[in-house]
Amino acid sequence: MPKEGYKKTYHFLKKKYEDKSLFTFTELAEAADYKVTSIHTYFRNSLKNKFISQKDKNKLIALDEIDSFSENEFIQYCSQKKVDDILELDLSDYLRENSIQCMLSAIELHNKPNISYRYQTVAILLINSWELILKSYITKYYPDINIFQSDGHSKPFEKILNCVIDQLGKEYFHIRENLIVLYEYRCKFIHFYEEDIDPLSPCVNIDYA
């Protein structure tokens, strides 16, 4: 975000604070003249609980801190290298790298057979990895498709999956069906309970004599 964007953000937040009025991510992005996806990233890493708080699932509110900063102080804060790095980050690349790390974690855990709850955790990690890479794909190749909902949270796995597969065509339908099955297992593991899914029965001593 250029310094002009910092300035616009400051005056937008200052006015919202003075008016005690709520606003959305989209309104903030428009005021700063920046992408909504970048505002989401910036919000999580730098603005949240310092200048902005999420009032409810749809709205944000400016905090008292903005009133204690001058325009120059706010610009200086936003111009710190760590903040610039966040804003210059390509969201698609960020999501892809997290997806890779998540998949590597799943593979590493899968290869440790003596860990209990292994398959359940692997299933959770696999869906997490797929969700991140699907969002990365949409962000990179279909930037007009918003991966966020009106409440500021990213869209759930099934919506993201259907969005990508619908774009790619019927030759990928089998991938969707497999991922849906895995997702159903994942939801059972997270929200309730599922019978043991290990493919092998517990080892027993067998006398071959």
Coordinates of all heavy atoms in Angstrom, one line a residue, residues 4 9 22 33 58 135 168 182:
E4 N 0.1 7.1 0.2 CA -1.2 7.8 0.0 C -2.4 6.9 0.5 O -3.4 7.3 1.0 CB -1.4 8.0 -1.5 CG -2.7 8.8 -1.8 CD -2.7 10.2 -1.2 OE1 -1.6 10.8 -1.0 OE2 -3.8 10.7 -1.0
T9 N -6.4 5.6 4.6 CA -6.9 4.6 5.7 C -7.0 5.4 7.0 O -8.0 5.2 7.7 CB -5.9 3.5 5.8 OG1 -5.8 2.8 4.6 CG2 -6.3 2.5 6.9
L22 N -20.0 1.8 12.2 CA -19.4 0.6 11.8 C -19.1 0.6 10.3 O -19.7 1.4 9.5 CB -20.3 -0.6 12.1 CG -20.7 -0.7 13.6 CD1 -21.7 -1.9 13.8 CD2 -19.5 -0.9 14.5
D33 N -8.0 2.4 -1.3 CA -7.7 2.1 -2.7 C -6.7 0.9 -2.8 O -5.7 0.9 -3.5 CB -7.0 3.3 -3.4 CG -7.0 3.2 -4.9 OD1 -7.8 2.5 -5.4 OD2 -6.1 3.9 -5.5
N58 N -20.2 -9.2 10.4 CA -20.2 -8.4 9.2 C -19.6 -7.1 9.3 O -19.2 -6.5 8.3 CB -21.7 -8.2 8.7 CG -22.4 -9.4 8.3 OD1 -21.9 -10.2 7.6 ND2 -23.6 -9.6 8.8
K135 N -7.9 -22.2 -2.7 CA -8.1 -20.8 -2.5 C -6.9 -20.1 -3.2 O -7.1 -19.0 -3.8 CB -8.2 -20.4 -1.0 CG -9.5 -20.8 -0.4 CD -9.5 -20.6 1.1 CE -10.8 -21.0 1.7 NZ -10.8 -20.9 3.2
L168 N -13.0 -25.9 -13.9 CA -12.1 -26.8 -14.6 C -12.8 -27.8 -15.5 O -12.3 -28.2 -16.5 CB -11.2 -27.6 -13.6 CG -10.2 -26.8 -12.8 CD1 -9.5 -27.6 -11.8 CD2 -9.2 -26.0 -13.7
L182 N -13.5 -37.5 1.8 CA -12.4 -37.2 2.8 C -12.9 -36.1 3.7 O -12.7 -36.1 4.9 CB -11.1 -36.8 2.1 CG -9.9 -36.5 3.0 CD1 -9.6 -37.8 3.8 CD2 -8.7 -36.1 2.2

